[in-house]
Amino acid sequence: MAVCIAVIAKENYPLYIRSIPAEQELKFHYTVHTSLDVVDEKVSAMGKALVDQRELYLGLLYPTEDYKVSLLSRLGIPCVKSMFPNQLHRYGYVTNSKVKFVMVVDSSNTALRDNEIRSMFRKLHNSYTDVMCNPFYNPGDRIHSRAFDNMVTSMMVQVC
Amino acid sequence: MEGLTLSDAEQKYYSDLFSYCDIESTKKVASNGRVVELFRAAQLPNEVVLQIMELCGATRLGYFGRSQFYIALKLVAVAQSGLPLRVESINTVKDLPLPRFGASKNEQESRHTTSYSSDTENQGSYSGVIPPPPGRVQVKKGSVSHDAVQPRTSTDQQESTSPVVSPQQSPPTSPHTWRKHNRHPSGGNNERSLAGPGPFWSPFSEAQTGSSAGDAVWSGHSPPPPQENWVSFADTPPTSTLLAMHPASVQDQTTVRTVASATTANEIRRQSSSYDDPWKITDEQRQYYVNQFKTIQPDLNGFIPGSAAKEFFTKSKLPILELSHIWELSDFDKDGALTLDEFCAAFHLVVARKNGYDLPEKLPESLMPKLIDLEDSADVGDQSGEVGYSGSPAEAPPSKSPSMPSLNQTWPELNQSSEQWETFSERSSSSQTLTQFDSNIAPADPDTAIVHPVPIRMTPSKIHMQEMELKRTGSDHTNPTSPLLVKPSDLSEENKINSSVKFVSGNTVADGYSSSDSFTSDPEQIGNAVTRQRSHSGTSPDNTAPPPPPPRPHPSHSRSSSLDMNRTFPVTTGQQQAGVVAHPPAVPPRPQPSQVPGPHVHRPVDAEGLITHTSTSPQQIPEQPNFADFSQFEVFAASNVNEEPDDEAEKHPEVLQVEKSSDPSGSLRVAKTDGRIEEKTAASAPANVGKSTTPLAPPPKPIRRRLKSEDELRPEVDEHSQKTGVLAAVLSSQPSIPRSVGKDKKAIQASIRRNKETNTVLARLNSELQQQLKDVLEERISLEVQLEQLRPFSHL
């Protein structure tokens, strides 16, 4: 149930943010922003040696507010998912190039399994790679790719 | 100012321009808007324009007299040629192309084309020269000289409709104007017949064929609208070489090229006015694209790196966003490089976009790269994606590799399936079902790991299947039965991994040979048939068969499964009388070579016994759906005269064995139903089975079907493929056994019922166990999470 999906560049500015309820976009922006701190914390905590692809998923970032954010990082530290009622989980994912994906998920509908979140991030990563492969895309630009949009829409629709 | 000597063309052109600017007909043009716009349209830097004005004396005079205007125009031409502005150059520069004024001319031309009828006073004099509306302008244009162009321009000038600078022409119209103007230069290109939106190629091709005079005319009269600088691929070698033909300088080249591109665009548009498939690439277009490809990458089978492609397509002056989208569409295998096909598709899309066609969301089929044979790039006409489709099954992994395109080709049809693929892979990797496979499958199944990537494949290719058939026939009977084993588990998980199961089973069957289960080639064939039939039925769920998946083959079912047969066989062995019949219990009966096709050589010898068995069952076929195969048994039985009980007995064990081996009951049933229909209808097929000459594909199917029906009979018996082979042989040579069928029928039915019950019980148990396993795994994951939480930063 991704209600918001964001792609954050290495310098921590957003490359792509999309949220389902449009009116809450600003709130999601703040959420994602705060989660970046957690991401950085986890990344630094993990150390620098870990470059295992398997550990890109960070898991739940921290269950604050009414949103649970989980950050997938290559470091692969699964976070504890505290069960806050009516929570929106935040999940994170960091790529090798320090591009972060943050996904805010509404847990009210169904409890998305960890594996499903991972698969969603995998799809995100694949689509992001496709965008990168496009020679007309300058790294650091906002992502305007229609294919990427379609993929994100499918994920958000499916989740909601 | 020294005297200005102008050629006739220049004279006319200048006079037209002067008339255009001299709106007040005062024979002297002040620096009014028209003049300014005209000079601005010349696309020269401001300082150059100022210099020109000073040189021609307008600054001195404060206005443009006719002579000053002419001098100014000449200087504009000089400047556009890249030559330094000198007063002397007015007369010294020979063969100077006419000054090009982009916007103004464009406007005039566009207006001219769009409002053809609006040509009033000049029409009388020029209409004869002016070719008909953008239709076959070429013909006339070809013969038209500058006069045609100039009169038109003058006509355009006379049209005081739109301002000079406002190239708002829609792409369709502007090309028209260009087309008219460029017709004669590209006289040689008239015969070109470009279908579809392929304007681009004509600029280049026309540039290639256009004459210098043509170029001059182009440059003079067909400046593309500022926004429609077609194929202004400034560095395109062909155009540059051509443009070098005339004394035009580099600057001219650019503009001329754009003009040329406009021309060609016009040409293309004209000719492409009627085409059914807007995305079809014509031969000429394709040839052009190929030539362009060669300029970047001499090897036609090679790739154009992304950076080179970016430069190339950036020259088209399309917005980056659209170019990005075009790239996404055309880079099929997402490798960051363009093959020839991808390049042609991208080029075609750029051309289309330039012509005003919106970019599609999905790559049109005609533009899909032919992934199978890159050498076919020379096949101009073969643009359809079907080529790829036929080859796609051969490609398995949907990774970002060259094999991906084959999968991609099937995307239009299987776009959905691509999602399924992804899901499959994710499921398979993330779900626990595959692990369950591992646990369930008899030990030493390293192939299950192999199964993971394989499921990506949508449908096992026929070739692959046949290969497997061959492999199977030649391989030991120890070939992997794991796929078959996997199937049962898959079926139990049907609700979740239905399609993935198909893949797995299909793939596992295809791989076949990895597990060391006792399943012989027959079960594999069964699986193959199952998967094949699955693929035939597309992604139809396996739930068609009501009975739950048969339980996994007992662990004891290994090579020694035949022993099990022994256990079960005694039940029926007693009924056996033929010596041959006695074999099956111990060893799967070997189908008679004559009866069994080559691949089934491994079949147990007592195929005949099976035949006898099967012979009894034929009558039962109509009674029970599971007996569809028995029609084949009939054929088998015909060859043997064994008693029915023997046949049954043997059949049952074989069936059971087969069932266990091949197990995904759902799939089997599906296949069975298919098989039944086929079997019943094609009694000859079983007969063919017996013949070694029959192709591999047909024999396995009937065999499998037979096996399936047998499976239903004896779920707990899991013998091997040999039985299936035997069955096949039996079926093929079955004669109809009329008598004593009734008794056997009842016995068989009773046993069938019993087996079914056992089957359901086992299946239920299986699903329960799997559920438990899942729960346990979830608990484990949660525990791991807690553990991680307890030591959050221990690794600091």
Side-chain angles (χ1 to χ4, degrees), chain B residues 251-361:
Chain B
Q251 288 181 1
D252 286 350
Q253 282 183 4
T254 308
T255 44
V256 171
R257 243 173 291 130
T258 56
V259 170
S261 60
T263 311
T264 51
N266 293 338
E267 239 181 333
I268 294 171
R269 282 197 73 273
R270 175 176 42 78
Q271 288 152 349
S272 66
S273 54
S274 63
Y275 50 85
D276 37 358
D277 179 9
W279 302 112
K280 196 166 171 315
I281 303 180
T282 64
D283 292 0
E284 294 181 8
Q285 288 175 339
R286 184 159 181 93
Q287 194 54 44
Y288 183 68
Y289 298 155
V290 171
N291 293 339
Q292 288 299 305
F293 184 93
K294 283 188 194 153
T295 65
I296 306 178
Q297 165 70 278
D299 177 19
L300 284 181
N301 286 335
F303 293 90
I304 289 186
S307 51
K310 174 178 180 177
E311 287 175 28
F312 185 81
F313 287 113
T314 307
K315 289 187 262 175
S316 71
K317 295 207 177 29
L318 279 180
I320 292 289
L321 194 57
E322 298 191 7
L323 287 173
S324 172
H325 185 67
I326 288 175
W327 175 275
E328 278 179 5
L329 289 178
S330 58
D331 187 8
F332 218 55
D333 45 10
K334 300 278 183 265
D335 57 356
L338 295 182
T339 64
L340 180 62
D341 286 330
E342 292 173 343
F343 176 83
C344 292
F347 209 152
H348 203 66
L349 286 171
V350 173
V351 160
R353 188 75 187 117
K354 279 281 189 186
N355 264 326
Y357 294 95
D358 287 334
L359 293 176
E361 288 297 320

Side-chain angles (χ1 to χ4, degrees), chain B residues 570-710:
Chain B
V571 178
T572 60
T573 321
Q575 300 169 350
Q576 297 177 3
Q577 294 182 3
V580 175
V581 174
H583 285 316
V587 175
R590 302 239 165 250
Q592 294 175 356
S594 60
Q595 294 170 348
V596 179
H600 307 307
V601 175
H602 305 285
R603 299 284 154 60
V605 185
D606 17 349
E608 296 159 6
L610 292 175
I611 293 173
T612 57
H613 286 312
T614 56
S615 60
T616 59
S617 50
Q619 292 76 6
Q620 301 172 1
I621 293 174
E623 297 171 2
Q624 297 184 12
N626 296 331
F627 284 79
D629 302 332
F630 292 138
S631 60
Q632 296 176 0
F633 291 151
E634 284 187 61
V635 180
F636 251 93
S639 62
N640 292 326
V641 194
N642 288 336
E643 297 180 357
E644 308 144 38
D646 298 344
D647 293 346
E648 275 184 22
E650 286 182 356
K651 246 186 335 185
H652 291 323
E654 288 182 4
V655 169
L656 292 173
Q657 290 173 3
V658 171
E659 193 176 13
K660 295 225 162 154
S661 56
S662 55
D663 216 88
S665 60
S667 59
L668 281 178
R669 304 232 169 69
V670 171
K672 277 186 207 169
T673 45
D674 295 343
R676 262 173 281 164
I677 298 170
E678 293 177 33
E679 290 170 356
K680 284 182 181 172
T681 54
S684 60
N688 291 338
V689 170
K691 294 173 189 142
S692 55
T693 57
T694 54
L696 293 178
K701 280 184 190 170
I703 294 173
R704 283 198 208 89
R705 295 193 213 102
R706 268 176 266 121
L707 293 173
K708 288 174 200 161
S709 59
E710 286 179 337

Side-chain angles (χ1 to χ4, degrees), chain A residues 41 45-46 77-80 113 115 119 122-123 126 130 133-136 138 144-147 150, chain B residues 306 310 313 320-321 323-325 327-328 334 361 400 422 426 429-430 432 785 788-789 793 795-796:
Chain A
E41 191 180 348
M46 286 315 207
I77 297 181
C79 308
V80 177
R113 290 176 46 182
N115 282 334
S119 73
R122 209 172 306 130
K123 282 204 288 191
N126 286 338
D130 290 344
C133 280
N134 191 332
F136 298 102
N138 302 316
H144 296 287
S145 154
R146 288 186 222 175
N150 294 340
Chain B
K310 174 178 180 177
F313 287 113
I320 292 289
L321 194 57
L323 287 173
S324 172
H325 185 67
W327 175 275
E328 278 179 5
K334 300 278 183 265
E361 288 297 320
K400 296 183 190 295
E422 219 171 344
E426 290 160 2
S429 58
S430 62
Q432 304 160 13
V785 165
E788 278 298 336
Q789 186 193 15
F793 302 119
H795 31 272
L796 267 178

